[in-house]
Structures are given as structure tokens and as C-alpha cells.
Amino acid sequence: MTGPNLSEWALRYRQLTIYMMIVGVIAGTFAFINLGRDEDPSFTLKTMLVTAVWPGATMEETQLQLTDRLERRLQETTGLDSVRSITRPGIVTIYVDLADAVPADQVPGIWQEVRNSVGDIRHTLPQGVLGPFMNDSFGDVFGIIYAFTADGFSDRELRDHVDVVRSDLLRQVDGISKIEWIGVQDEQILIEFQPDRVAAMGLDYGQIFNAIAAQNVVRPSGVINSGSENLALRVSGAFTSEADVTEVSLVAGGRTIRLGDIATVRRALVDPPQPLLRVNGQRAVALAISMAEGGDILQLGRDVTRVMARSVANLPVGIEPVLISDQPTVVDIAIGDFTASLWQAVGIILVVSFLMLGARPGAVVAISIPVTLAVVMLVMQIAQIDLHRISLGALIIALALLVDDAMTTVDATLRRLAAGDGIETAAGFVYRTLAAPMLTGTLITIAGFVPIGFAQSSAGEYTISLFYVVGIALIASWFVAVLFTPLLGAYILKPPPADGIEQPPGRFLRGFQRLLRLSIRLRWITFAVTAGLFALAFVGLAQVERQFFPSSDRNELIVDFQLSRSSSIYASEEAVKRIEEFIKASGDAAFVASYVGRSVIRFYLPLDINPPSDHRSQIVVMARDLQARSRLQANLTTFLIEEFPEAISRVSLLELGPPVGWPLQYRLTGPDPEVLRARALDLANLIASYPNARQVHFDWIEPARQLRIEVDQAQARRLGMTSAQVSAVLQAAVSGTAVTQLRDDIYLVNVVARAADGSRVSLDTLATLQVPVPGGRTVALSQFANFTFDQEQPFLWRRDRLPTLTVLADVVNGDTPEAAVAALEPQIAAMAATLPVGYEIQVGGTVEASAESSASVFAVVPLMVFLMISLLMVQLKNFKDTGMVLLLLPLGLIGVVAALLAFGRPLGFVAILGILALIGMIAKNAVILITQISDDRAGGKSVEEAAVAAATNRMRPLLLTALSTVLGLLPIAPTLFWGPMAFAIMGGLLVATLLTLIFLPTLYVAVHGGRGARAQPADV
């Protein structure tokens, strides 16, 4: 290798080298202690929510005047992937999804662009529109959630006490980004009128409402300058309690009437309630705590626990806190388990080194491992890479790779010492002959991880630390091998007798040489057998189960529960109560947290969050252990199907990777919603025909009833009424009208006017509703209006401005959505061919997410191949040798498929990353072997003798590396997340190592000629 000889330099300046090693170990130790901890790596959810409200608008009005206007402007967003919208009468929620290729650091700028664009058209929206409101914190994670239940306290009293706790947390804990309320019910002041009294007094509702609002208005009253001071004028009348509202004076017919004489004023909670939180069967409120960016979740957990202990001690008896999400503990356990796996892998590799190399060589390798890890930890801290599921798994994978250079260096040094060289000469020779191929091999191995590092997708962002950590570790291992390992060898290795006589090979090596010579002699049989095995593996690949990301191994279960779209929140709560009772009776749950009328808050990053809706609930069940989780999942699934056949339900584990939601999804898009509804039923029947599909349903399809009040405009005008006045009367009589706001401490409480309970309008009494008209009299609504029942869609989903109806389903345990989509593909294709022009069926869910993520990885594969070929050409300098290495690379698939099939592991996104990484490992071993063959040929040996000698010399380090890698991956092999990758690498590397030692030398002899061919000496 050109340039300074680092090994000779390290031996020449021993004390400086020792100092560098000590500093590196100490700094790395402190870095490991100070590294941030988290359960999963963060990734950017590239979705923004835009919401607008237009009270009283119909579905059609909302669609045309809000949804369409906003979507047109949002489609101009830079880096846009899709615009999805949910339109309901009077409200629209739009999801702005950016393409996966958009870098995470550009997302905030694009969200500002969205804000500016929406702001530019805000003035063009209809009068009375509230918003649009924008939420770019859709991906915030609230990993710590404390719920509070109360016995003997009102909702307001509970909220006030918990608010003190919230203030303590915000004031005393630095690592908190925000704290959200969950389950809080706002208060309102109800003014309940008796319509007959209002009519008898000759009062007009508009007059009453104006009088109430006018007394409570806040307006400046001026400032008097007296020369020496300024005196601010304050006018009384503002409401401070419901009693003040009761005393409002009204004037009618020359008389003054007290509001309390014609109405009852009382304080109550909003009705119907806002989304509810129930914990262990009781209504509760909760504080959800989000960590500041770059924080340490374990430190945050300790700080929150400390402050909570003091704050809870001050709560009155009867208010009980319940910790319903404890991410710090989950992370602590997960990090502890992975750290234990890391130390197990270290121990395994150390044992292998001692057993296979002997005490002294094994000691050199054993010391090299912690030195390398310390350097890696230091660089990780500098690069701000935390310890989490991906980085710790990457460390275990890297650990199995980083011993390769140290073993190669030690093995080559021992050979030179046995030949009679001194330690300085041996180290210098090893550096000159092996440093370059080892560095090239290291870079090639890193190149195998390039698709992970440059994949432009959420899944790629989720796993990117795998590329960084492995790259850092491999580079560090090369420097340790050429700097510190020679120095350690100088102190630890014992030179054998320098008689200059090469020891004859043992029985095992002689057997290997005979096998290799036979393979070379029968080369075409060797090639045919290898090709046959590869073809068999390619066929077997179709039998390997497919998977995107596995489920989490946490104890939680998520219960999705949906009643019919028109169901009230009261119906949802009653159903949830029955589910909670079943869960409690099972005895398998530690606690149950039910979110009624909404999705769970994002307590865990890979969660699919849906907008609030009265018919939808989600329940988080914390099982006592994994066995209890399995029992509860099966029993609860059966219970929901039997007891709630009309509902859509799903009991699932937490997901890993980017959120997907229901695993099996098909989108039907087209211009006419009615056509979509008709064809969606056919599509649902096709999906239901798959035996393992269950809970087939739609994101929207059910129409809802509406009652249209057709006002006779001519008759209404004769009575002095308008449609606006009729709407106001109905609103007050049915739901209530907000008149003003009472300013109560830090809260704003709506003052709502409505009819008293006994006078509230129902379907039966609507026709006889007495409507006040000018002149102090009332007329029945039926005198100038007709009533007809009609249907409308309560929801309308659109995607890229086209109505889109999605059919969703789950698959039974043991099956995968990939298998379902593959089985349904012919039928779906046949149906798609019969659709009218402008309509199409698109696959969504897990299969779509997996395809997009895999495509982002495979898009970078050409770059990986280019880098590998370039590095190979730089090292090998000819097309023949480079071509042989490239021919060897795909043969690792033989071992990959065999291992995945033998152990029943799926081929998912993580396993694909392992296969790509395996390519780099195979290439590294092949480069060093071919370099060794070329060196032996340069020394005068024939092609065959050089191939046999090089394979014999490289067999021990290659087998040691493969064995170390395989055994080092054993601690993570049983895990759900890393298991498929571990088995793919283990099986592929074992087979590839054998092929490198047998197939590659045979191919080399076939390519480079016969027994007598010689090579010219090459510059090293």
C-alpha cells in the first residue's frame, strides 16, 4: 500500500500509540455513558394537516367551496406526494403528504410554504369559515402519559388540580417539548328558555341574545389625564359567574324583565361530550408529555418521576394518578436487552478467538474489540447517533465484522514470525501486503450498506443509522488493525522458533487441499453443482414468506373499534364499557386505557392516527406479559366478533417501522362517488373471498339520513321571517346557540342559549315548533315549511382531488398481507379491466408501503454496484478478477434462502438490507483471496498452485470470520425485528465462505489458464 506504513509508525512511536489507545478507550467509555437512549430511531412523518370549519354548510357546499379550493392550492406544494382529504358537512381535513424523497431537513421549509399558500387564499373562502388551521406537529410522540381519575370531585375541580401538576412539570423539567390534555371536557353556561314564556313576554330571541352579549363585551372606555396621573376608566357588567347571567335585564313593551324569570341558567359540561378518556373503567383526564428534540428519554423519565412524586403528594385524597404510557421504562428494558445481546456477542467472539487462535493471538483480538467499540462510541456521540433499536443492532452486526481485520492481521503476523521475521519486519510486511486489500474490502463492505444510507423513504430514514454505525465501525476496525493490533502483537505474541522451515499442513488442511484440487480438476461439475444450487435457491425464494416490518415485542395491544358512521359518542362509550368489562374479567391486563371518539394519542412513533369521530374508539391494553398478550389477543378477537357483529374491530400488536394501519387495503378511485360505492361492494366481495381475510370494511360508504326543511320563501317573507332566522331558531331549540363567553379564571366558558329539556325539539314535535315572528307572536314551523327525509354522505375521502373509496381488511394470524395480495391479484386485475374509463384500483396498506420502501432501496443499488466495481478495479486492476468477484456475489442467495426457509423467517425490509450488506462481506473476502493468489503467482507459483496455496492460507481467517459473525449474531437471531436479517446473513455468509474457498479458486484457475501459467511480479 502506498503512503506511510502505519504499522511501522505505531511500533516506532510506541508510547504515543499507547497514549492514543488509552485516550480512545476512556473517551469512548464516557461517550457510551452519555449517549442518548430511545426505543426507536426518530423519522420524519412528512404529513401536515390542514383543517377548515364552515358551520352549517352542507356536504356539497363544503366540498366545492372549501375542499376543492384548498386542494387546488395545496397541489402546488413543493415535493408533494399526494393530497388526501376527508370532507364532512361543515368541516374538511386535508392531509398534505410529501414524497419520501424529500430530505427531512427541507420539510419545515415546505410546511412554511404551505402556510403561506393557504394564507394567500384565506380571503377567498366563504364568510363564516373558521380557519384554515394547520398542524405540522402530526408526528410528535407523547411517550409519557399520566392519567388522573377522581372520586368525589367535579370535572372542573379535577382539571384545576391536574393543571397545577402540569405547570410544575413545565416549570421544573427542561426536556419537555409540550404537554397535551386528553379527555378534558369543556364547561358551558346553559341558558334554557321556556318558549311559551318568551312568547308571552313579546320578546325576540335576537333581542335577548344581543342584550346578553352587549353587557359582557370588552371594550376600551378611555383614559382621563388629570395632569398628574392617568386614570383608566373601567365599565362594569362583565360576567364572572352564572349568577351574573341570571341578572341580565331585558326591556320589552316598556317593561324590564329579568333573564332569570324566563330562563334557567346553570353550569354544565358540553353535550354531547368531547372525545373521552377512560382508564380502568373510569372516566379520566390525562397529561401527555412530549420530549424536546435531541433529548434523552431516560433522563426525561427520571426528571418527570421526581417532579410527579412531589406534585402528586400535594393532590387531595380521591385524585389518583395512573401511568398509562411509560416509554422511559420500555426504552430502559429494550436498551438493556440489546446491550446484553451486545455483550453476549462480544463474549462469543472472544471465546471463538481464544479457541481458534490460541491464548496469545486470541488476547490480541480480544483487546482490539473493546478498543474498536470505544472509538465507535466516541464517533457516534460526535455524530449525535443515539442508542436505540437500530444502532444497537447495527453494533452487533458490525461487531461480527470488525474482528475480521484484526484476525487477518494477527494471522498474517504469526505466519511472518514463523518464517523468521522480527515483529517490526512482520508488521511492516503485513501492512504492505494486506492493508490495501483490507481497506478495499472494508470500503466494499460499507458500499453494501449504501442502499440503506441513501434510501429516500421513511423506512430508509428509520434504518439509516445502520449504515452510519456499520460504516464507522468498519473504518475504525481497519485503523485499529493497522495501528494498535501490531503494537499489541509486539507485547503479547510470542515468535515461534525462527528456523525458516514452513510447517506442513495438518490433516484438515490436507483434506481441504485434496477437495479443492478435485474441484479444480472437475471444474465443470463444480460449476454445474453451484449453478444448480443457485437455481434451486431462486425457485425457493418464491416460497419464503414476505413481510414489511414485524410487530413489536411490547406488551401492549391496540383495539380498533368502529360502530356505524352515524353512531353517537354515547353509543361508542357504552360499547367500550362492555369491552373493558371483558378485559378486566380475563385477568390478563395490567391496565386498560380507552380513547372514545378518537384515536389514541401518538405514544409510540409508528402509530397510524385517524381524525376524531364519534363512531371510532381505540383501546390500549397493557398485558401482564407476552403470554397474557397472546391469550388476550385471541380471546378478545373472538369476543368482539361474537358480541359486536355490526362493528368493525381489530386487535393488533404495535407496529414497527413507518405506520400503515389496516394491513390489507385497496383504493378505488374515480370521478363519481356513486359508481365508486357500487363497485366497492364488488371489490369487497372479492377480498372477502380470500379465506384468511377478515373484518372487510370501507373507510366511507354508508349514507346518513338528513331532514330537509323546505321553507316557503313567499310565506316566510309575509310573516317577516328569513331562512337565516329559521336556522337560528332551530339551532337554539335543538343544539343551542353560543351567545357570549364567560371569562372564568384562565378559561373561556361559552354561554349557550337553548330550549329547556322539556321544550327541546324532537322529530315528533318539530312541525309544531313555535317560531317567534315580528309583532310578539309565534307561528308553528309547519305553517311555512315542509319536511322531507333525504340521504347524504357523512364522509367523502378524496385523493389528489379524485373521490377515493378504500376497502380495508385484516388477515388472520399466521398469514401476511403480501400473500393475500398475491392470491387476489388475478381477480383484482380482472375486475380492474371492467372498470369505466377514469376509474382504477390501487393496492395500499402494507404491500404499498413495502413496495415503496424496497423501491427506494433498490433505486440506490446501481450506485452500490458502481462503487463496488470501482473499488474492485482499483484493487484488482483487471476485468477478469473483477468479473469473478461479481459472479460470486449473488451466490450468497443459496445460503440466504436455505436459512430463511429452514428457520421459518420472512423476507422483509430488514432482511433485504441484510442481503445487500452480505454482498459487501462476500466481496471483501473474495478481494483478499484473489489478491493473495496474485501475490503467490508473482512469487513464482503456477495458477493452480497459487490458488490452492492462497485458499489454504486464507481458510483459517475466513472460517474464523464467518464463525465469529454467525455466532456473534446469535443473540439477536431470536428477536422479531433483527431475526430475519441475522438468519439471512448467517446462512448467506456460511455458504458464501465455502464458495469463496472452493468455487472462487476453481473459477480463477478456469479463467486464468492451466497449471503452468505464471504472473509477473506486481508492485505492492
Side-chain angles (χ1 to χ4, degrees):
M1 182 172 182
T2 59
N5 191 310
L6 296 181
S7 298
E8 290 181 348
W9 181 89
L11 291 172
R12 184 178 305 117
Y13 302 102
R14 295 190 180 195
Q15 295 189 29
L16 176 58
T17 306
I18 292 172
Y19 173 76
M20 292 168 55
M21 188 162 55
I22 293 173
V23 170
V25 171
I26 294 175
T29 302
F30 280 104
F32 175 74
I33 295 172
N34 295 323
L35 280 174
R37 267 75 169 170
D38 210 339
E39 182 179 7
D40 286 287
S42 62
F43 59 89
T44 305
L45 288 177
K46 300 169 184 174
T47 299
M48 186 181 200
L49 265 63
V50 179
T51 305
V53 180
W54 189 12
T58 65
M59 170 67 81
E60 183 178 7
E61 290 170 338
T62 307
Q63 182 70 50
L64 294 175
Q65 298 298 326
L66 285 186
T67 306
D68 203 56
R69 288 173 183 264
L70 290 170
E71 283 181 338
R72 287 174 184 270
R73 178 53 64 97
L74 292 173
Q75 278 196 313
E76 301 172 359
T77 303
T78 302
L80 184 69
D81 177 57
S82 65
V83 173
R84 297 175 292 134
S85 65
I86 311 173
T87 304
R88 289 172 283 181
I91 184 170
V92 58
T93 302
I94 301 177
Y95 294 79
V96 183
D97 300 320
L98 300 184
D100 277 346
V102 175
D105 58 354
Q106 294 184 14
V107 172
I110 296 177
W111 294 153
Q112 185 58 49
E113 175 190 328
V114 171
R115 293 178 185 278
N116 295 340
S117 297
V118 173
D120 290 342
I121 65 168
R122 196 186 303 269
H123 69 282
T124 68
L125 301 179
Q127 292 182 358
V129 170
L130 306 178
F133 310 102
M134 282 149 283
N135 177 14
D136 58 1
S137 301
F138 187 59
D140 286 350
V141 177
F142 299 87
I144 303 175
I145 305 177
Y146 277 93
F148 297 83
T149 58
D151 183 9
F153 293 87
S154 68
D155 290 72
R156 172 61 182 274
E157 290 170 333
L158 173 62
R159 183 175 183 179
D160 287 342
H161 286 297
V162 174
D163 191 58
V164 175
V165 177
R166 181 177 183 271
S167 299
D168 291 342
L169 289 169
L170 287 172
R171 187 175 61 254
Q172 300 178 38
V173 180
D174 293 333
I176 293 178
S177 171
K178 64 177 69 172
I179 299 180
E180 294 283 351
W181 288 96
I182 308 175
V184 169
Q185 303 298 307
D186 290 333
E187 290 184 308
Q188 59 183 354
I189 304 297
L190 290 177
I191 305 174
E192 297 180 317
F193 290 98
Q194 299 293 341
D196 55 343
R197 292 187 186 179
V198 174
M201 295 293 183
L203 290 170
D204 176 75
Y205 282 110
Q207 175 189 358
I208 297 173
F209 297 164
N210 290 336
I212 296 171
Q215 179 173 327
N216 191 48
V217 72
V218 175
R219 287 185 179 172
S221 304
V223 177
I224 295 178
N225 188 333
S226 64
S228 60
E229 62 179 330
N230 294 325
L231 295 176
L233 303 183
R234 296 285 182 262
V235 177
S236 65
F239 300 146
T240 59
S241 68
E242 51 268 42
D244 294 337
V245 180
T246 305
E247 299 301 323
V248 170
S249 298
L250 307 171
V251 177
R255 296 179 301 165
T256 301
I257 303 169
R258 177 174 165 270
L259 181 62
D261 295 335
I262 60 172
T264 301
V265 180
R266 63 186 178 91
R267 185 183 293 253
L269 298 177
V270 292
D271 183 26
Q274 295 160 305
L276 299 166
L277 175 67
R278 296 174 55 84
V279 176
N280 295 330
Q282 290 182 270
R283 282 195 183 184
V285 299
L287 299 178
I289 302 171
S290 174
M291 183 177 67
E293 187 175 356
D296 183 340
I297 189 66
L298 298 185
Q299 184 61 47
L300 177 64
R302 289 189 289 267
D303 292 342
V304 169
T305 300
R306 170 178 50 80
V307 175
M308 281 294 299
R310 290 200 298 263
S311 299
V312 169
N314 296 324
L315 290 177
V317 176
I319 297 179
E320 296 294 332
V322 181
L323 185 58
I324 61 174
S325 179
D326 187 8
Q327 192 179 29
T329 298
V330 173
V331 170
D332 194 25
I333 294 173
I335 293 295
D337 290 343
F338 266 96
T339 304
S341 298
L342 178 63
W343 300 137
Q344 290 170 13
V346 170
I348 290 171
I349 292 174
L350 292 180
V351 170
V352 171
S353 301
F354 279 110
L355 291 179
M356 302 300 292
L357 295 174
R360 291 180 178 273
V364 175
V365 175
I367 297 173
S368 300
I369 292 174
V371 173
T372 305
L373 287 177
V375 174
V376 172
M377 296 297 174
L378 180 59
V379 179
M380 285 177 62
Q381 186 182 40
I382 295 172
Q384 297 182 341
I385 301 174
D386 294 338
L387 291 178
H388 44 64
R389 186 190 310 274
I390 303 299
S391 61
L392 278 169
L395 280 172
I396 295 173
I397 294 171
L399 180 65
L401 302 175
L402 60 83
V403 297
D404 186 18
D405 288 341
M407 285 185 174
T408 300
T409 300
V410 170
D411 183 74
T413 302
L414 285 174
R415 293 183 182 279
R416 297 309 304 171
L417 292 176
D421 290 348
I423 185 63
E424 291 83 359
T425 305
F429 178 82
V430 171
Y431 182 86
R432 287 191 298 274
T433 56
L434 290 180
M438 284 196 308
L439 179 59
T440 302
T442 295
L443 295 177
I444 289 174
T445 304
I446 295 173
F449 289 87
V450 162
I452 305 171
F454 293 90
Q456 295 179 329
S457 65
S458 296
E461 187 179 352
Y462 182 75
T463 57
I464 192 172
S465 57
L466 180 64
F467 168 71
Y468 290 135
V469 172
V470 171
I472 292 167
L474 292 179
I475 294 294
S477 71
W478 183 85
F479 276 104
V480 169
V482 299
L483 273 175
F484 299 144
T485 302
L487 181 63
L488 294 172
Y491 289 106
I492 298 176
L493 294 179
K494 183 178 180 181
D499 52 12
I501 301 174
E502 186 176 351
Q503 297 295 321
R507 180 181 302 176
F508 180 76
L509 286 179
R510 292 197 302 271
F512 169 72
Q513 289 177 344
R514 286 195 295 271
L515 175 62
L516 180 55
R517 293 184 187 277
L518 180 63
S519 299
I520 293 173
R521 190 176 305 114
L522 303 176
R523 63 192 65 171
W524 295 113
I525 295 179
T526 302
F527 297 155
V529 170
T530 304
L533 291 174
F534 180 73
L536 190 62
F538 198 77
V539 173
L541 186 63
Q543 307 303 317
V544 178
E545 179 184 323
R546 298 299 195 272
Q547 184 186 65
F548 183 33
F549 277 94
S551 299
S552 172
D553 54 2
R554 288 174 53 158
N555 288 351
E556 289 100 330
L557 288 172
I558 298 290
V559 181
D560 286 282
F561 186 80
Q562 301 177 46
L563 294 174
S564 62
R565 303 284 176 184
S566 58
S567 299
S568 69
I569 195 170
Y570 295 110
S572 295
E573 186 178 22
E574 287 302 314
V576 166
K577 287 180 181 178
R578 292 171 57 191
I579 300 172
E580 290 171 340
E581 290 171 359
F582 175 83
I583 296 171
K584 181 180 179 180
S586 71
D588 286 328
F591 69 79
V592 180
S594 303
Y595 297 76
V596 184
R598 58 164 293 170
S599 297
V600 301
I601 196 167
R602 196 184 296 277
F603 67 92
Y604 172 77
L605 183 58
L607 281 177
D608 182 47
I609 304 297
N610 292 288
S613 183
D614 287 350
H615 78 289
R616 180 192 302 273
S617 301
Q618 278 193 317
I619 305 173
V620 180
V621 184
M622 175 61 77
R624 298 190 182 278
D625 51 46
L626 293 180
Q627 292 74 26
R629 185 187 73 173
S630 298
R631 290 193 301 271
L632 196 53
Q633 183 179 18
N635 295 336
L636 188 53
T637 298
T638 302
F639 171 79
L640 291 172
I641 293 174
E642 292 177 351
E643 296 296 322
F644 299 97
E646 77 285 1
I648 300 299
S649 60
R650 178 180 181 231
V651 184
S652 60
L653 309 179
L654 296 180
E655 299 175 338
L656 290 176
V660 174
W662 286 79
L664 191 59
Q665 299 182 23
Y666 286 92
R667 292 191 300 271
L668 185 62
T669 65
D672 188 345
E674 293 305 317
V675 174
L676 291 183
R677 290 177 59 198
R679 301 313 298 263
L681 294 172
D682 299 333
L683 180 58
N685 289 331
L686 282 182
I687 297 171
S689 68
Y690 181 70
N692 290 338
R694 65 184 183 193
Q695 294 294 317
V696 181
H697 65 288
F698 311 91
D699 59 350
W700 64 271
I701 198 170
E702 309 167 19
R705 287 203 309 165
Q706 66 170 350
L707 179 60
R708 294 186 61 84
I709 300 173
E710 301 287 350
V711 176
D712 184 335
Q713 298 297 332
Q715 179 66 16
R717 277 192 290 272
R718 282 194 291 271
L719 293 171
M721 294 294 294
T722 64
S723 293
Q725 291 172 312
V726 173
S727 297
V729 170
L730 288 171
Q731 176 72 15
V734 178
S735 301
T737 299
V739 178
T740 185
Q741 288 182 320
L742 185 147
R743 294 170 286 280
D744 184 2
D745 195 21
I746 64 171
Y747 306 110
L748 289 175
V749 181
N750 284 335
V751 178
V752 177
R754 72 180 189 184
D757 288 343
S759 304
R760 299 276 292 279
V761 172
S762 65
L763 284 176
D764 297 331
T765 61
L766 181 63
T768 59
L769 172 67
Q770 296 299 306
V771 179
V773 296
R777 61 192 182 92
T778 62
V779 297
L781 180 61
S782 59
Q783 291 188 14
F784 59 92
N786 297 317
F787 310 97
T788 59
F789 284 98
D790 198 359
Q791 287 187 336
E792 69 174 353
Q793 284 294 336
F795 293 87
L796 178 62
W797 274 92
R798 302 212 311 182
R799 187 183 183 92
D800 294 332
R801 298 182 58 212
L802 273 179
T804 302
L805 203 162
T806 304
V807 184
L808 309 97
D810 197 6
V811 292
V812 299
N813 287 336
D815 200 357
T816 63
E818 289 83 358
V821 168
L824 291 169
E825 184 175 4
Q827 299 165 274
I828 299 297
M831 177 181 171
T834 66
L835 293 176
V837 176
Y839 294 81
E840 63 175 325
I841 300 174
Q842 302 168 350
V843 178
T846 302
V847 174
E848 180 184 44
S850 178
E852 290 177 352
S853 299
S854 299
S856 71
V857 170
F858 291 129
V860 193
V861 168
L863 175 61
M864 178 194 77
V865 173
F866 168 74
L867 292 175
M868 284 187 172
I869 293 176
S870 299
L871 290 168
L872 289 172
M873 287 299 298
V874 169
Q875 178 62 38
L876 302 176
K877 300 180 177 62
N878 66 79
F879 289 112
K880 286 185 178 181
D881 292 349
T882 299
M884 284 188 289
V885 175
L886 295 177
L887 186 61
L888 179 67
L889 298 184
L891 299 182
L893 189 66
I894 299 171
V896 170
V897 174
L900 294 179
L901 287 175
F903 292 94
R905 295 304 176 114
L907 179 64
F909 184 77
V910 179
I912 291 173
L913 301 184
I915 294 171
L916 294 174
L918 178 66
I919 292 174
M921 303 177 198
I922 298 171
K924 178 181 180 179
N925 291 334
V927 165
I928 296 178
L929 179 61
I930 290 179
T931 302
Q932 184 70 54
I933 297 174
S934 299
D935 291 343
D936 288 345
R937 289 181 63 196
K941 294 181 180 179
S942 67
V943 173
E944 183 174 332
E945 291 302 321
V948 173
T952 303
N953 291 335
R954 287 295 303 160
M955 186 181 70
R956 185 170 74 160
L958 278 178
L959 290 179
L960 280 176
T961 300
L963 186 61
S964 299
T965 302
V966 170
L967 296 178
L969 290 174
L970 284 180
I972 62 171
T975 63
L976 289 173
F977 187 84
W978 290 109
M981 172 183 273
F983 279 107
I985 292 177
M986 289 191 293
L989 187 60
L990 282 176
V991 171
T993 300
L994 295 177
L995 291 174
T996 302
L997 292 172
I998 296 175
F999 173 79
L1000 184 58
T1002 303
L1003 180 63
Y1004 189 95
V1005 173
V1007 169
H1008 282 279
R1011 299 171 177 267
R1014 297 285 197 275
Q1016 297 297 321
D1019 295 332
V1020 178

